[in-house]
Amino acid sequence: MSNLKEALIECLQGSLSPEGDVRRGAEERLKALEVTENHPIHLMEIVLDNGDHCLPPPIRQLASVILRQYIDTHWTSITEKFVAPEPSEQAKAILRSNLPIGLTYSESKIRNSIAAIISTIAHWDWPEQWPNLFEVLLQYLHNEKSVAGAMRVLTEFVKELTEEHLLQVAPIILPEMSVMINDKESYSSNTRARAVQVFRTCARVISILGQIDKKAPTRFLDPVLQNYVQVFTRALMEPENPGHYKLKKDIIKTVTVLLRYYQAKTSPYLAQLLPPAWAILTSLTVPFKAYLQGNEDDDDNIDSDGEKCGIESTLYAIFELVQALLENPQIAKTYMSDSLTDLIFYTTFYMQLPQERVEQWTSNPSSFASDEDEDSGTYSLRACAQDLLSLVSDEFNQQCIAALGQAVNRHLCTPAGQTDWRLQEACLYAVCSLGTNVAKPWSQSSGIPTAGCFDIHGFVQNIVIPGLSSQDILLVGRCLVLGSNFCTVIDPTLTENFIRAAVECLQPDRSIILKLLATKAIESFVNQSPEYEFVHKKLLEFLPVIVENLITFGAMGQSVDILTIVLETLTEILKLDDGFTASIGSKVTTLSIACFVKFNADPVICPIIEGILQILCKNRNCVVEVQERLTPTLISVLNNSSTEMAGPQGVALDLLTVVIRASPTPLSPMLVTDAFPAVINCITKSDDHTVWQNGGECLRAYTSVAPDQVYEYRDANGMSGLAYVVQIACRLLDPTMSEFSATLVGKLVTTLLSKTGNKLGDQLELLLRAVLSKLRSADTLSVIQNLLMVYAYLFNTQLEPALNFLDSVPGPTGQSALYFVMTEWVSRQHMFYGMFDRKVSSIALANLLLHGLNTKDPRVTQIQVKGELVDTKQMITRSKKKTEEWTKIPLLVKIFKLLIYELSCVTADTTADEEGETESESEDDDKENGVSCSGFNVEDLLFDDEESGVNVDDQDILSDPIYTVDLSIYLKDFLTAFSQQPHFPEFISHLNVQELKALSKIGLNIG
């Protein structure tokens, strides 16, 4: 044994030492040994040494891990992760020759590590440097000791096959996998399942290649598909036992892939494949019942990759297959129309709650609140079944509703008291998931159900009302939720019963889960009450006790998830009646302040508190108390100099902004004389981006709502509030400050110009120069757009003074700032997002275009900007991108082209809204080919203000006359009028084909 190998073994032993110093020293020596020539060979020898005197398994396992890491970073200099040195070709050859031996080892951890290492090397070396690898793996498939390791390599191996490699591999490997799947005597279920995975991966790879070579699926898949269908069918029909879950699950997942990627090829075989899959769905009811009761642990069935292979995962696969069937209406009609009742029967059955989940919710009610939240991201078998039921409803509409009624009747038509509460609760959950669509035929009749509809009245009377008396709180709560969801279509007397029951279940002594479901029921009643006078009146009777119990419930501080549900319900109640809101304003304010103090760092709670305070401030009977009680708390937070207060201060600034925006004017002295200087002090002393950004928005609210009060404010030194705001704005615009602090500063500057422009004096030029300075250093589109909107505002309100200013200031390249601003603007206009900003910018550019034509202003007409990319007829590579050539065109021509682009954008938006979704096949083609609307990329067009992060409730935006402008009409009228200009033919000569088509679509004669 060489000295280096002995040193390596010593280091491996030291790395496993429980003593920290020994372990760290060994790890450092291991790092040093990496550069030695035979390091990977020594590691391999240690891993593969399984003789009588071999090293302990932990040492060999560690060596396998280190060898894998070494291969990842050292094997080839081509990889981005490469770290020198690269092994010699001799060393690589030794590893390639000997590593496959490890696939025969019985130790799974060693075998799996070797398989991963071989897969990594194969990625770089097969077939050129390792031509016999594939043959070796095929030989190992027929060796009982090595088949598991070989299959693990193949699973990874096939993921990266190119078309050229597929030509070599597919004709051999695909038939081989089908033989393994079919041979249950020679191969275990796990090995057969891996063979299914290999085929499924090949099918995906062939599909990808088919996008380039349309004949690839015919060449590679057609010769074997029929045989695989037969093999799959036989395997699915094998007798049930837990070991078969993985195999059958993988087969069903593979059928789903075939159906989605090769629908035309797979459809003829569905009649053969679906019956055994259906048989699995029905047969799993027996083990699932045991699982529900906690008599069977589904988590035990986990394979070596950590993937679940039990009952639930198999059901997931079946539900996904059914969803794939629903994606094609014709297939869905053919194979599902006659069995809807049975499908919904079993789908509802698998919505039942396992005992494990019930116990988890009981011990941790916040987990129940999280699972009940549709936006929580938690996905369960119940949620999967609910999604499937919704898809069935979308596809089959009334036929689905009738089938739901029949399925529920089959579940619940048992002697009184014999129906399991889980099944009853699942049926209620299923009915709730389809909403009031279930009761549509009833709402159009006089209490007599139409043929084939769901008897919602009978269901509520015979199932739901008795369920309220159950001892199972989840069933009682689900009854409350269903009653509230259908309160507008059932008998008013029943509705009153549900309201009373919900109020009763909110009592402090009730269980948390029951109170949560009662809270959700109350919220549903509240949301529907504006359309149903009876519900509205009954709610007003009970609202005082409801709010009292909700506040008590929320004040318990169980968890954020629970508090979220309570606060959301209170928010809806506050919108119900101004008089009642005034009566509870004090209590809700107390709760809101307490929530802010405790949860001011929570991204879910804080926006809800803002919404509550906004409603209270807009109520003239509440606003004074809110200001008097909340403002001192906010001021205290803002004046706290602790470095840990940045988060709370950011939230406090947000809350203060909400209060200012919602308060009547003039603002109270407390907001101006106390809160305003606290805001200035907080922003000035902070170095936190969130504080700067939220502080800028808070100052914008002050300037927008009470500009005169800001101007008249004076501190002890006589400095005005306006001067402070300008000072803060200039600080945010400092080029040395982070761009994140300037994300919204353009809006602050624009508000200053619009509300206090005549009072700024010399500070106006200071502000505009600061905007220019920040624009020169900005790289982020959102910041650049925000800054350019300042000049867009000026072009729409004070065009000539704005031009004079920009022309008088030098730009960064030696030309005027006007040249710099317009170059930046027109080069990014097509990337601007948010409908309001697009309107402001487009109208500003239109004003500049008219100004240039009417006055022939040389400051504008002589500017040349980037036009079209010159087509060199050569393939553009990374090295050639630096030599791209662009035409130069006049600024006014560029503006003309951009206005046509904006017209195409808004036209595309309108067309998309009117036409809805296109056929899926067309959508796929569009995505693959990058199809654009009128020559413009659709993804760049379909942005509205909400999607782009702009606050659609921003009062400054809503009050701007431009907000109401229909940009489509404006641009059509502008371009039509422009076509009458004598210079129009000259502009036309610069347009490309797409732009000419866009003009012809609005009826302009361009011939």
Side-chain angles (χ1 to χ4, degrees):
M1 185 183 296
S2 69
N3 293 334
L4 285 176
K5 186 175 179 180
E6 290 178 354
L8 179 58
I9 293 173
E10 183 180 339
C11 291
L12 291 171
Q13 292 170 334
S15 296
L16 296 175
S17 171
E19 298 182 16
D21 292 340
V22 174
R23 189 171 60 252
R24 282 188 291 272
E27 290 170 352
E28 290 176 2
R29 292 194 297 277
L30 271 175
K31 198 70 178 175
L33 288 173
E34 275 190 22
V35 300
T36 58
E37 183 177 358
N38 292 322
H39 182 67
I41 297 176
H42 292 154
L43 283 171
M44 180 193 68
E45 291 172 350
I46 293 170
V47 174
L48 296 181
D49 182 9
N50 67 342
D52 294 336
H53 303 288
C54 66
L55 292 165
I59 299 292
R60 295 170 58 219
Q61 290 170 16
L62 177 59
S64 71
V65 172
I66 294 174
L67 177 58
R68 183 177 179 179
Q69 294 171 346
Y70 179 91
I71 298 298
D72 282 341
T73 55
H74 292 275
W75 189 258
T76 174
S77 59
I78 301 175
T79 176
E80 294 179 356
K81 298 186 292 184
F82 176 71
V83 176
E86 181 176 342
S88 66
E89 288 302 322
Q90 181 181 4
K92 289 183 178 182
I94 293 173
L95 263 68
R96 287 192 294 258
S97 176
N98 291 278
L99 279 172
I101 299 172
L103 298 178
T104 65
Y105 287 8
S106 59
E107 303 145 297
S108 62
K109 292 183 178 179
I110 297 289
R111 186 176 65 242
N112 293 344
S113 289
I114 292 295
I117 292 169
I118 292 174
S119 299
T120 301
I121 296 175
H123 172 78
W124 300 109
D125 290 8
W126 185 85
E128 288 80 7
Q129 284 78 36
W130 205 352
N132 68 328
L133 171 63
F134 190 55
E135 287 74 13
V136 171
L137 292 175
L138 289 178
Q139 292 174 10
Y140 277 26
L141 291 179
H142 303 286
N143 184 324
E144 183 179 352
K145 294 182 179 180
S146 59
V147 63
M151 286 302 300
R152 183 174 285 273
V153 176
L154 280 176
T155 304
E156 299 298 322
F157 180 79
V158 297
K159 290 179 181 179
E160 302 181 32
L161 291 177
T162 64
E163 184 176 14
E164 179 183 353
H165 295 157
L166 204 62
L167 285 169
Q168 304 175 42
V169 172
I172 302 173
I173 198 172
L174 293 181
E176 188 71 33
M177 293 300 103
S178 70
V179 169
M180 295 180 65
I181 299 167
N182 197 45
D183 189 354
K184 62 181 179 180
E185 303 298 332
S186 303
Y187 300 100
S188 68
S189 292
N190 285 339
T191 298
R192 296 165 68 198
R194 280 208 176 273
V196 175
Q197 293 173 19
V198 170
F199 171 75
R200 185 166 69 243
T201 302
C202 286
R204 287 197 178 104
V205 172
I206 293 169
S207 173
I208 294 170
L209 294 176
Q211 297 175 14
I212 303 170
D213 179 4
K214 300 296 184 183
K215 296 181 180 179
T218 302
R219 185 185 315 144
F220 298 120
L221 198 62
D222 284 7
V224 298
L225 182 58
Q226 183 176 3
N227 181 56
Y228 267 97
V229 170
Q230 294 172 353
V231 170
F232 286 167
T233 304
R234 283 193 290 270
L236 289 173
M237 295 173 67
E238 290 177 12
E240 287 288 350
N241 68 67
H244 278 70
Y245 287 148
K246 177 174 174 56
L247 173 62
K248 294 184 177 183
K249 180 201 71 172
D250 275 309
I251 291 175
I252 293 169
K253 290 174 68 174
T254 303
V255 173
T256 302
V257 168
L258 291 172
L259 183 59
R260 283 183 166 145
Y261 291 173
Y262 310 98
Q263 191 176 100
K265 296 179 184 296
T266 308
S267 296
Y269 299 110
L270 289 177
Q272 185 176 343
L273 290 164
L274 292 181
W278 177 262
I280 296 171
L281 177 70
T282 58
S283 65
L284 284 176
T285 56
V286 176
F288 189 75
K289 282 184 179 179
Y291 168 54
L292 288 177
Q293 301 295 334
N295 298 328
E296 181 172 329
D297 190 354
D298 198 43
D299 290 337
D300 288 345
N301 297 304
I302 299 177
D303 65 13
S304 58
D305 293 328
E307 183 179 351
K308 290 185 177 181
C309 308
I311 301 169
E312 284 201 354
S313 62
T314 305
L315 289 169
Y316 276 123
I318 295 174
F319 288 161
E320 187 179 4
L321 173 59
V322 179
Q323 289 181 19
L325 294 172
L326 288 165
E327 290 169 7
N328 185 293
Q330 187 58 47
I331 291 178
K333 182 178 179 181
T334 301
Y335 292 99
M336 298 175 62
S337 185
D338 294 335
S339 57
L340 273 186
T341 300
D342 288 337
L343 175 63
I344 294 175
F345 176 84
Y346 288 106
T347 302
T348 306
F349 179 86
Y350 291 119
M351 284 184 178
Q352 294 180 83
L353 293 169
Q355 183 62 25
E356 180 184 9
R357 180 67 59 84
V358 175
E359 292 174 356
Q360 177 191 353
W361 286 349
T362 303
S363 61
N364 182 17
S366 64
S367 66
F368 170 76
S370 176
D371 290 346
E372 283 288 294
D373 183 2
E374 295 178 357
D375 300 324
S376 67
T378 304
Y379 202 63
S380 61
L381 183 62
R382 165 176 281 209
C384 183
Q386 180 186 10
D387 289 344
L388 176 59
L389 185 59
S390 298
L391 290 172
V392 173
S393 176
D394 292 341
E395 182 62 37
F396 290 97
N397 300 311
Q398 194 56 40
Q399 187 180 354
C400 171
I401 302 302
L404 174 65
Q406 296 168 16
V408 169
N409 286 337
R410 282 172 57 184
H411 279 307
L412 303 181
C413 283
T414 57
Q418 293 188 14
T419 302
D420 189 333
W421 74 266
R422 286 184 175 81
L423 189 55
Q424 194 171 340
E425 191 270 348
C427 290
L428 268 65
Y429 187 85
V431 173
C432 282
S433 68
L434 295 187
T436 53
N437 288 334
V438 169
K440 275 186 177 179
W442 281 87
S443 61
Q444 300 168 358
S445 64
S446 56
I448 302 175
T450 59
C453 78
F454 185 89
D455 184 2
I456 186 65
H457 292 277
F459 182 70
V460 170
Q461 188 74 57
N462 301 320
I463 303 298
V464 184
I465 291 294
L468 291 174
S469 304
S470 172
Q471 296 301 309
D472 300 291
I473 58 173
L474 284 166
L475 176 57
V476 175
R478 195 63 63 194
C479 289
L480 293 176
V481 173
L482 186 141
S484 66
N485 288 352
F486 290 91
C487 67
T488 60
V489 295
I490 61 177
D491 185 88
T493 304
L494 298 179
T495 297
E496 183 176 354
N497 289 341
F498 282 114
I499 294 176
R500 290 182 181 276
V503 174
E504 176 65 25
C505 290
L506 274 178
Q507 295 297 320
D509 60 339
R510 295 304 185 96
S511 74
I512 293 177
I513 289 179
L514 186 56
K515 285 190 286 190
L516 282 169
L517 288 168
T519 302
K520 291 174 72 71
I522 293 296
E523 183 178 9
S524 180
F525 281 125
V526 171
N527 288 335
Q528 297 183 76
S529 65
E531 302 175 6
Y532 197 42
E533 184 62 24
F534 177 80
V535 175
H536 186 78
K537 289 182 179 179
K538 283 299 171 185
L539 272 178
L540 289 179
E541 292 180 22
F542 294 102
L543 276 183
V545 66
I546 289 174
V547 171
E548 186 73 31
N549 288 331
L550 282 175
I551 290 177
T552 301
F553 188 22
M556 292 171 60
Q558 291 285 336
S559 73
V560 169
D561 294 310
I562 293 174
L563 183 60
T564 297
I565 294 176
V566 172
L567 291 178
E568 287 176 341
T569 302
L570 283 173
T571 301
E572 297 306 314
I573 290 174
L574 291 173
K575 300 175 185 176
L576 199 58
D577 183 270
D578 287 344
F580 179 73
T581 298
S583 70
I584 63 170
S586 179
K587 295 179 179 179
V588 177
T589 300
T590 300
L591 179 64
S592 299
I593 294 174
C595 290
F596 163 68
V597 172
K598 187 173 182 179
F599 299 102
N600 51 54
D602 189 87
V604 176
I605 296 294
C606 290
I608 302 176
I609 297 173
E610 290 178 16
I612 289 175
L613 293 175
Q614 188 176 50
I615 295 171
L616 293 176
C617 286
K618 288 183 177 179
N619 189 309
R620 62 179 60 190
N621 295 317
C622 298
V623 61
V624 174
E625 181 176 1
V626 172
Q627 291 181 0
E628 290 178 349
R629 297 182 57 194
L630 177 64
T631 305
T633 302
L634 298 180
I635 292 174
S636 175
V637 172
L638 295 176
N639 286 332
N640 192 316
S641 58
S642 171
T643 56
E644 298 178 356
M645 289 300 294
Q649 286 174 342
V651 177
L653 289 165
D654 262 348
L655 291 178
L656 186 57
T657 301
V658 169
V659 172
I660 294 166
R661 291 282 187 185
S663 297
T665 54
L667 296 178
S668 68
M670 181 180 292
L671 288 176
V672 178
T673 59
D674 298 333
F676 180 76
V679 172
I680 298 295
N681 178 67
C682 178
I683 302 173
T684 303
K685 293 183 178 180
S686 177
D687 58 0
D688 183 80
H689 300 314
T690 302
V691 170
W692 293 339
Q693 186 164 300
N694 293 1
E697 283 295 278
C698 187
L699 293 179
R700 181 163 77 94
Y702 270 111
T703 308
S704 175
V705 172
D708 291 336
Q709 288 178 277
V710 171
Y711 177 73
E712 293 166 2
Y713 170 85
R714 295 292 187 276
D715 66 4
N717 298 319
M719 187 169 176
S720 72
L722 183 58
Y724 272 118
V725 176
V726 172
Q727 186 182 80
I728 295 294
C730 289
R731 185 188 178 197
L732 296 176
L733 290 166
D734 188 334
T736 63
M737 299 281 280
S738 167
E739 280 195 41
F740 297 108
S741 64
T743 304
L744 300 174
V745 70
K747 295 183 180 297
L748 172 59
V749 175
T750 301
T751 302
L752 280 168
L753 296 177
S754 63
K755 298 292 185 178
T756 64
N758 59 340
K759 300 173 182 176
L760 286 171
D762 294 339
Q763 292 175 319
L764 173 60
E765 183 171 338
L766 177 66
L767 266 177
L768 296 180
R769 284 180 176 271
V771 172
L772 269 178
S773 182
K774 191 68 176 181
L775 184 60
R776 291 170 184 169
S777 62
D779 295 316
T780 308
L781 175 62
S782 59
V783 176
I784 294 172
Q785 176 179 331
N786 202 257
L787 295 172
L788 287 172
M789 286 303 108
V790 173
Y791 298 106
Y793 166 79
L794 290 174
F795 281 16
N796 287 326
T797 56
Q798 306 175 55
L799 178 57
E800 187 64 38
L803 291 175
N804 291 338
F805 166 76
L806 290 172
D807 186 58
S808 66
V809 178
T813 60
Q815 295 174 295
S816 70
L818 177 62
Y819 173 84
F820 167 68
V821 168
M822 295 314 304
T823 301
E824 292 291 305
W825 188 343
V826 298
S827 68
R828 290 177 171 81
Q829 169 71 30
H830 66 288
M831 296 185 285
F832 286 176
Y833 55 89
M835 182 55 71
F836 179 73
D837 278 4
R838 282 165 56 183
K839 287 181 183 179
V840 172
S841 183
S842 298
I843 294 173
L845 290 175
N847 288 336
L848 183 61
L849 176 57
L850 285 181
H851 169 82
L853 289 176
N854 294 335
T855 65
K856 296 183 175 53
D857 188 339
R859 298 173 299 180
V860 176
T861 58
Q862 292 180 7
I863 294 178
Q864 296 282 312
V865 296
K866 188 184 293 185
E868 304 278 350
L869 180 64
V870 176
D871 186 3
T872 60
K873 304 296 182 182
Q874 295 179 358
M875 181 179 295
I876 300 296
T877 64
R878 289 187 182 92
S879 60
K880 291 183 179 179
K881 285 184 178 179
K882 296 181 180 179
T883 61
E884 287 179 346
E885 296 182 16
W886 294 79
T887 62
K888 286 287 186 178
I889 59 175
L891 170 64
L892 298 183
V893 171
K894 181 68 172 182
I895 291 175
F896 179 57
K897 292 164 75 71
L898 286 171
L899 294 178
I900 297 173
Y901 168 83
E902 289 296 336
L903 176 62
S904 298
C905 286
V906 293
T907 302
D909 289 350
T910 305
T911 303
D913 290 339
E914 292 175 353
E915 294 181 356
E917 296 183 358
T918 58
E919 295 183 3
S920 59
E921 184 175 346
S922 299
E923 287 181 348
D924 291 341
D925 290 342
D926 287 353
K927 290 176 183 177
E928 291 172 13
N929 301 320
V931 173
S932 57
C933 183
S934 300
F936 305 104
N937 194 313
V938 174
E939 291 184 357
D940 293 336
L941 312 184
L942 301 179
F943 278 103
D944 60 25
D945 291 310
E946 188 171 2
E947 290 172 339
S948 62
V950 176
N951 184 359
V952 292
D953 294 326
D954 191 321
Q955 292 302 315
D956 294 341
I957 292 177
L958 296 177
S959 62
D960 194 311
I962 291 180
Y963 180 77
T964 60
V965 171
D966 186 321
L967 188 58
S968 176
I969 295 175
Y970 174 89
L971 290 174
K972 286 178 183 178
D973 292 344
F974 178 87
L975 292 171
T976 301
F978 185 74
S979 67
Q980 307 302 315
Q981 293 277 350
H983 296 288
F984 185 67
E986 180 182 345
F987 280 78
I988 287 292
S989 65
H990 290 275
L991 301 185
N992 58 36
V993 175
Q994 289 89 0
E995 291 162 345
L996 292 171
K997 286 182 179 178
L999 288 181
S1000 66
K1001 286 183 178 180
I1002 62 173
L1004 291 185
N1005 182 8
I1006 56 177

